[in-house]
Amino acid sequence: MVADTPRSSDVQTRYEAVIGLEVHCQLLTHSKMFAADTNAFGGEPNTHVSVITLGHPGTLPKANRQAVEYAVRIGLAVGSEITRHNVFARKNYFYPDLPKGYQLSQDKGPICVGGTVPITAKDPVTGESYQTEIQLHHIHLEEDAGKSIHDGSDWTTQLDYNRAGTPLIEMVTEPCIRTADEAGQYLTEVRRLVRYLDICDGNMEEGSLRCDVNVSIRPVGATYLGTKVEVKNLNSIRNVMRAVDSEIQRQIDVTEAGGTLIQETRTFDASTGLSAGMREKETMNDYRYFPDPDLAPVVISDAWLADIEAAMPMLPSARLARFTDHYGLPAYDATLLTDAKELADYYEETCAALPTDKISPAAYKAVSNWIMGPVKGHLNEKTLRDRQFPVSASQLAALIGLVLNETVSQTAAQQVFTLMLTNLETSPADLAQQHGLIQNRNTDALQTLVESVLAEWPDKVEQYRKGKKNLLGMFVGEVMKKSKGSADPKLVNQLVVKTLQ
Amino acid sequence: MTEYRSFAAVQTDLKAGSITCRQLVDHYLDRIAEQAHLNVFTQVYTDESRVQAEQVDRKLANGTAGRLAGMVIGLKDVLSHAGHGLRAGSHILDNFTAQFTGTAVERLLAEDAIVIGRQNCDEFAMGSSNENSAFGPVRNAADPTRVPGGSSGGSAVAVQAGLCLASIGSDTGGSVRQPAAFCGVVGLKPTYGRISRWGLVAYASSFDCIGPIANTLADVALLLEIMAGPDGFDSTVSTQPVGAYTQAVTAPVKPLRVAYLREGIDSEGVDPAIREATRQKLDQLRAAGHQVDAVDISLLKYLLPTYYILTTAEASSNLSRFDGVRYGYRSPDSTDLITMYKRSRTEGFGAEVRRRILLGTFVLSASYYDAYYTKAQRVRRLMQQEMERLFTQYDVLLSPTTPTTAYRLGEKTSDPLQMYLGDIFTVLANVVGYPAVSIPNGHDGSEPALPIGLQLMTPPFAEERLLTVAQSLQ
């Protein structure tokens, strides 16, 4: 209500929020956390399972080295301390999608301790950008549960254990986040990091990246922590930000109305933008953690750690530096191109596929222009994700090569690009040929065109000769028109000048 | 047919051509039928074992047979064997068929052992008398009114009564050694991690060991040699090289420093006949020129509480998977998720298993965790340290395997604490993870006479020494 806005915003400035995020990332390992079954999203229900995943009697877990390496990668990327002696604990609770009756997780001694994620956020009041660092408490490894499917047709529950045992990392921040924007920026940065590190696809809709938020409020300036409320079921960065704002507002409203907040878990409804409390029964659990006696501790030796470090994919900051230093791109281009790993990869692949005799800073800039211009334009238009762009890097490089060796004009290249989007199997050169877009560099033929144009405009020729040299562009344009855009404008220019001398 | 008491005798006759594996299996099948009242086997693989025997006979004929050709064994019903039932003496695994073969069984089969059936045991290996089985109690062949011990009761009686040549049991607190003592046979619990647990239904994971039961140390050594060693399926199994156990049995004994548990002789709870039999063995050792000293273990009185806190804690979690959701028993009276869990587990598990799950859940609960679980872990470490110190001065530790001989069926069922006390000497090896063996040590004066067991223990991975010393005492 408009009338309430000033008062409510006045109230809001008296409180500050204390926010912590728990982010779960499903790791892109070949197999599961403690079993050799395939780790893949989807598939017919219960096809990626084994006796281990199903918790058959007599089975034992075996830790997946790749999952450990992936967790170490993210830890190294955010500057965590890496725990060398890793013990897995059993988190005991009953649920049908949890085959063993316990989840293997890390209770004490998570694999990564501490760390920071730098972000740029906007002040909600002034709108100004500022830099800050989000502190991590820890990152731990665990296994995912299966899925319960309630299709609503009757009272039965169906169970799919394909996801059971999928390796997860849980990244837990300190309660150091203050605004929804900071939460959103942090999550965006984490998603970028895990994608850069090739450890998680970061897809929130499919649930491979999941986020729970913990929110409390306190009067501005207070140092104590208020009653913490956890909000779950957030399937996009936008919803995380909405949930934070709505929870802050709810807590302020309850407090201002003289009510008492209770420590609880709430579930967010994206359609209403509001959250509802879950039954207390579901949140009160004594998990009876204890070290899993079936699993030997996973010890990360110096040598293994060095191997992981050596195999680290390049981080966004290093990538940015490479784009300005190695490719000589302006900071603006480099920032835009390295925002998403897929785009950065695409840029580098295209550069690598350029004709070797055409490699130059100008060529690298040309690739950047093509990707930031037509490629991104097409992506925005089709709202495709970067990695789903249909034209391969080598095809794009071939097209840019045609421009660089003046086989096609810049204008014609745009037309070829459009044709490429729907003719993925045909080379850019063939497309240019088929559609008559090869640049005409036949001097004799062009000379004929020049002469016929000049013959059509005797008065303009007269004016030019008297000194109105800016008519040159008009003559060249007319010749280009006659050539249906195929003429090499530089060559036409030369011919016109020479003919008029 | 000859009542074979050693694999060597079987091999001699197979070689001489005086018997075939098929005849051997038929003989055991007859014996099992004759002794059905002992309730040893929960399932006999009649047709399968005959087919297997004929295959092994063919292999023997063409010289491709494995080291266990002619060895007819039974498996305690806690060992996963693909395509066969796996019930762990429990209703909760009703109609469950194993989908894979565990490592130990796999290795035995690869050497041409013939599996004749699955053996009765206490439910989920929890018990000392084999009275906690959904398949009913097993009876001691020496006196069928008495218990065989537990939890590998069926496995011990099978060897005792000549229903197969050897059995594979499991030992979490004495479940191989105690029934071996009650039945007058040899039972070995190896070092923790010596044999892969892949395929062993878990009771208490950090205590559980697969162990062989046979008439002779030589047979036990052979079975250990084949089952032991690294395994990609079990991250807790040791990578220590497997010893030459079969050779250890015939190796000469060097002068030894022998410790015996003072409590094992002096305690009032020890039967006089057992005290006397143990003393005689000590005298025999002294006479042979070995140093023999009484030792006390300062933490002995904490042993049983430590064992029961830690094993029940692990068991309460290990048995959570039996929930009626994916396999096994589901109560037909379930109305929703919670009643399905409660009724399936209440009806599917027996009283002793329920007691241990409740106890374990209690000791792991947030309010009591440090008072029980954490403290018991600490005591376990202290005991390991004390044993390490002891074994810097001694080569082997002796005690009776049990304070009493086999008691009557039903005698202790109403008093679980009394029954737990019977595990006092065996539990130590599991708490510290050391290898121990029970060998026959005469009989008491009952009518009929009941077997007595002597237990020997050595440091981790010193199974060779254990077998050499044990052989010298037979």
Side-chain angles (χ1 to χ4, degrees), chain B residues 105-370:
Chain B
V105 175
E106 190 79 62
R107 290 178 183 177
L108 296 171
L109 293 173
E111 292 292 347
D112 291 327
I114 297 165
V115 177
I116 201 159
R118 285 186 291 133
Q119 294 161 336
N120 202 348
C121 58
D122 280 304
E123 187 177 7
F124 286 100
M126 297 178 189
S128 308
S129 65
N130 219 132
E131 292 168 293
N132 305 328
S133 169
F135 298 89
V138 177
R139 291 167 186 276
N140 194 316
D143 177 352
T145 67
R146 292 181 184 267
V147 302
S151 64
S152 313
S155 305
V157 176
V159 175
Q160 175 194 33
L163 313 186
C164 56
L165 191 65
S167 301
I168 309 301
S170 69
D171 189 316
T172 305
S175 285
V176 157
R177 291 159 289 152
Q178 186 253 20
F182 278 13
C183 297
V185 295
V186 178
L188 173 75
K189 180 206 95 78
T191 309
Y192 180 77
R194 180 69 295 180
I195 298 175
S196 166
R197 291 182 295 117
W198 174 252
L200 170 64
V201 178
Y203 156 21
S205 307
S206 73
F207 294 77
D208 293 341
C209 291
I210 289 174
I213 298 172
N215 287 295
T216 67
L217 282 158
D219 289 357
V220 154
L222 175 62
L223 291 166
L224 174 65
E225 201 169 285
I226 285 163
M227 292 188 287
D231 176 29
F233 287 107
D234 180 357
S235 70
T236 66
V237 81
S238 172
T239 52
Q240 287 258 351
V242 175
Y245 307 127
T246 44
Q247 288 168 36
V249 177
T250 55
V253 188
K254 297 179 195 120
L256 293 166
R257 299 166 300 169
V258 178
Y260 70 89
L261 207 56
R262 195 190 309 275
E263 289 261 322
I265 300 278
D266 292 359
S267 169
E268 280 177 24
V270 175
D271 280 358
I274 292 178
R275 183 178 301 138
E276 190 45 41
T278 310
R279 263 201 193 120
Q280 278 180 21
K281 271 288 175 325
L282 296 174
D283 290 344
Q284 188 188 323
L285 281 162
R286 282 195 194 92
H290 301 296
Q291 173 196 334
V292 179
D293 299 332
V295 295
D296 296 297
I297 291 173
S298 65
L299 295 164
L300 202 63
K301 65 178 169 192
Y302 302 112
L303 189 62
L304 284 174
T306 301
Y307 172 80
Y308 276 98
I309 288 167
L310 296 178
T311 55
T312 57
E314 293 183 14
S316 70
S317 175
N318 281 335
L319 271 60
S320 294
R321 66 188 62 195
F322 306 108
D323 55 6
V325 174
R326 295 167 315 287
Y327 52 74
Y329 177 77
R330 180 187 292 177
S331 172
D333 303 328
S334 310
T335 53
D336 60 9
L337 183 62
I338 299 297
T339 59
M340 182 180 81
Y341 282 147
K342 286 187 176 171
R343 290 188 183 150
S344 301
R345 286 168 64 82
T346 305
E347 295 160 17
F349 290 131
E352 183 62 23
V353 172
R354 290 202 303 272
R355 175 169 22 246
R356 296 196 196 190
I357 290 173
L358 288 172
L359 199 57
T361 306
F362 172 78
V363 299
L364 284 176
S365 62
S367 332
Y368 299 97
Y369 191 90
D370 286 335

Side-chain angles (χ1 to χ4, degrees), chain A residues 26-32 36-44 47-49 147 160-167 201 206 208:
Chain A
Q26 277 182 355
L27 299 179
L28 290 169
T29 51
H30 301 304
S31 55
K32 291 187 176 176
D37 335 354
T38 326
N39 174 34
F41 180 79
E44 286 294 301
T47 51
H48 301 307
V49 295
K147 269 184 187 160
D160 178 5
Y161 293 103
N162 281 351
R163 197 181 68 176
T166 294
D201 67 17
E206 285 179 4
S208 54

Side-chain angles (χ1 to χ4, degrees), chain B residues 429-441:
Chain B
N430 301 83
V431 169
V432 298
Y434 284 26
V437 66
S438 177
I439 56 173
N441 191 21

Side-chain angles (χ1 to χ4, degrees), chain B residues 44-66:
Chain B
V44 180
Y45 307 143
T46 310
D47 296 336
E48 189 189 341
S49 60
R50 282 179 174 145
V51 170
Q52 220 187 334
E54 283 165 9
Q55 280 169 358
V56 178
D57 279 329
R58 279 194 294 276
K59 284 187 177 183
L60 281 166
N62 62 29
T64 57

Side-chain angles (χ1 to χ4, degrees), chain B residues 207 296-308 310 375-391 397 424 427-434 457 460:
Chain B
F207 294 77
D296 296 297
I297 291 173
S298 65
L299 295 164
L300 202 63
K301 65 178 169 192
Y302 302 112
L303 189 62
L304 284 174
T306 301
Y307 172 80
Y308 276 98
L310 296 178
K375 194 173 280 180
Q377 284 286 35
R378 208 171 294 150
V379 175
R380 188 179 198 187
R381 269 194 299 278
L382 289 172
M383 273 184 195
Q384 281 162 341
Q385 288 163 10
E386 185 171 358
M387 292 304 282
E388 276 169 33
R389 279 196 302 275
L390 181 80
F391 277 101
L397 175 66
I424 183 79
V427 156
L428 177 62
N430 301 83
V431 169
V432 298
Y434 284 26
M457 192 191 303

Side-chain angles (χ1 to χ4, degrees), chain A residues 126-421:
Chain A
T126 64
E128 273 172 38
S129 287
Y130 60 96
Q131 313 257 316
T132 185
E133 280 185 337
I134 304 303
Q135 304 293 322
L136 288 175
H137 182 267
H138 75 262
I139 303 168
H140 71 252
L141 263 171
E142 60 186 28
E143 59 176 340
D144 211 342
K147 269 184 187 160
S148 302
I149 302 153
H150 310 271
D151 62 6
S153 58
D154 54 13
W155 286 100
T156 63
T157 298
Q158 303 197 321
L159 292 156
D160 178 5
Y161 293 103
N162 281 351
R163 197 181 68 176
T166 294
L168 291 177
I169 47 167
E170 181 173 343
M171 303 178 69
V172 182
T173 71
E174 295 286 358
C176 63
I177 297 168
R178 293 290 171 267
T179 67
D181 189 54
E182 283 188 6
Q185 293 301 332
Y186 165 74
L187 202 51
T188 306
E189 191 54 33
V190 165
R191 189 173 62 177
R192 194 157 86 109
L193 266 179
V194 296
R195 284 177 174 170
Y196 258 90
L197 293 168
D198 270 331
I199 63 173
C200 171
D201 67 17
N203 186 333
M204 289 189 79
E205 298 88 72
E206 285 179 4
S208 54
L209 191 137
R210 307 195 280 268
C211 179
D212 301 334
V213 297
N214 288 295
V215 180
S216 65
I217 57 163
R218 64 186 176 194
V220 170
T223 50
Y224 64 86
L225 291 172
T227 303
K228 181 178 79 173
V229 172
E230 184 176 18
V231 187
K232 285 180 179 286
N233 193 29
L234 308 168
N235 62 1
S236 70
I237 293 178
R238 197 174 90 87
N239 283 339
V240 167
M241 295 168 70
R242 288 170 72 204
V244 167
D245 274 336
S246 118
E247 182 55 24
I248 294 171
Q249 190 57 53
R250 190 189 70 84
Q251 293 190 12
I252 292 174
D253 290 347
V254 170
T255 309
E256 285 292 309
T260 311
L261 292 162
I262 52 165
Q263 185 165 338
E264 61 176 336
T265 301
R266 300 178 68 84
T267 177
F268 184 73
D269 181 345
S271 61
T272 62
L274 300 172
S275 65
M278 290 164 76
R279 282 183 303 149
E280 207 173 331
K281 229 176 171 178
E282 294 174 63
T283 61
M284 291 290 284
N285 241 325
D286 178 356
Y287 291 119
R288 293 173 281 124
Y289 282 103
F290 74 104
D292 183 14
D294 279 337
L295 197 57
V298 176
V299 178
I300 302 171
S301 65
D302 289 349
W304 190 13
L305 186 62
D307 287 348
I308 299 170
E309 221 163 347
M312 282 277 279
M314 207 178 261
L315 292 173
S317 54
R319 207 75 185 269
L320 184 73
R322 178 174 160 80
F323 276 39
T324 54
D325 301 348
H326 177 74
Y327 295 108
L329 294 179
Y332 176 81
D333 294 40
T335 308
L336 230 122
L337 289 172
T338 58
D339 183 49
K341 179 174 185 284
E342 292 79 9
L343 206 62
D345 287 346
Y346 189 66
Y347 174 80
E348 294 214 67
E349 282 165 30
T350 307
C351 287
L354 286 172
T356 42
D357 59 325
K358 293 295 170 197
I359 286 168
S360 68
Y364 290 150
K365 177 64 176 129
V367 174
S368 170
N369 291 344
W370 270 96
I371 293 178
M372 292 197 305
V375 173
K376 279 217 91 167
H378 177 78
L379 291 175
N380 293 344
E381 201 177 304
K382 300 269 178 188
T383 64
L384 283 175
R385 284 205 299 267
D386 302 340
R387 67 193 131 139
Q388 290 174 336
F389 185 64
V391 176
S392 71
S394 59
Q395 292 277 73
L396 182 65
L399 174 62
I400 295 170
L402 292 179
V403 178
L404 291 172
N405 65 24
E406 300 176 340
T407 307
V408 297
S409 69
Q410 187 67 36
T411 325
Q414 301 280 357
Q415 295 175 54
V416 176
F417 177 78
T418 310
L419 291 164
M420 283 162 72
L421 294 169

